[in-house]
Amino acid sequence: MPRRPSATFANVTSMLALLVAVSGGAYAANTVRSSDIKNGQVKTADLANNAVTGKKVKNGSLKRADIGGPLTRAYVTRDTSATFTNLPTSTSTTLRTLDLPGGSYVVTAKFLANSNNASKFSLACTLTGSDQTEDFADGLTLGDAAGDDREIVSMLITPTFAAAGQVTLSCDPGTASMNVGKAAITAVEVDQVISQP
């Protein structure tokens, strides 16, 4: 009977080295790193469904055009205190400002006007931002009888900022004695503003 060759240490070691080399090379050949991909070459068809989630997207990096629909952001500044501010006479006083990044907005402002007068007077207020201004000048008939009276004043503009800008709400009571409180400005960023008559 022919003699079977026996496994030697050298044979076993060389066989293990061969298997490690072959399997290691196969792993390296099937591993794709970011540096292996040419910029702009990964297409939608290359991604599995739900492969890109919110956690994998850098905050603030997506724009309206990236998601194919409206992307809405709201910016707000408001006075939450119960304190009213006395307005100096014949002086325009800034009640509130709101800094905004470039874009198109629908901006509303409101505040509570409190009259300390027993007769009619005019209050002149403006809400301005970029190329838009709304002027409010109304003869308030507050305080005709006795004591203080109040009125809620609301304003709206639709500014577009090419770069970062600011919206400002200001009022001038003329010669009247009055104070204001609860001033607020809200700006909602929109894709476009379509004005209708």
Side-chain angles (χ1 to χ4, degrees):
M1 208 180 214
R3 190 169 172 225
R4 272 186 356 190
S6 61
T8 65
F9 176 77
N11 287 344
V12 171
T13 303
S14 63
M15 185 59 75
L16 285 173
L18 178 63
L19 287 173
V20 168
V22 170
S23 64
Y27 171 79
N30 290 325
T31 301
V32 178
R33 293 182 176 79
S34 180
S35 60
D36 299 326
I37 301 172
K38 186 177 177 183
N39 287 344
Q41 294 305 303
V42 176
K43 308 295 182 199
T44 303
D46 300 322
L47 299 174
N49 288 340
N50 302 317
V52 180
T53 61
K55 291 180 180 180
K56 295 180 182 178
V57 177
K58 182 180 176 183
N59 287 342
S61 65
L62 293 179
K63 306 298 180 203
R64 283 184 285 280
D66 297 324
I67 61 172
L71 179 64
T72 303
R73 290 188 181 97
Y75 301 85
V76 178
T77 179
R78 62 184 178 154
D79 178 8
T80 57
S81 72
T83 305
F84 277 68
T85 302
N86 290 316
L87 297 180
T89 58
S90 302
T91 303
S92 181
T93 301
T94 298
L95 304 181
R96 217 78 194 149
T97 61
L98 180 61
D99 294 321
L100 298 171
S104 296
Y105 297 88
V106 174
V107 179
T108 60
K110 75 173 188 176
F111 62 94
L112 191 57
N114 183 62
S115 170
N116 300 318
N117 299 272
S119 60
K120 181 176 178 177
F121 73 97
S122 291
L123 170 66
C125 296
T126 58
L127 178 62
T128 59
S130 184
D131 58 343
Q132 294 262 319
T133 298
E134 181 179 5
D135 293 312
F136 171 85
D138 188 22
L140 298 178
T141 55
L142 303 176
D144 277 354
D148 298 340
D149 274 320
R150 297 178 178 177
E151 181 173 315
I152 296 173
V153 179
S154 298
M155 305 172 82
L156 180 138
I157 57 174
T158 55
T160 296
F161 295 95
Q166 188 177 74
V167 173
T168 303
L169 173 63
S170 57
C171 285
D172 182 347
T175 58
S177 172
M178 70 164 294
N179 49 42
V180 296
K182 303 293 184 184
I185 301 174
T186 302
V188 178
E189 188 176 9
V190 295
D191 191 39
Q192 62 179 323
V193 175
I194 301 171
S195 296
Q196 297 183 357

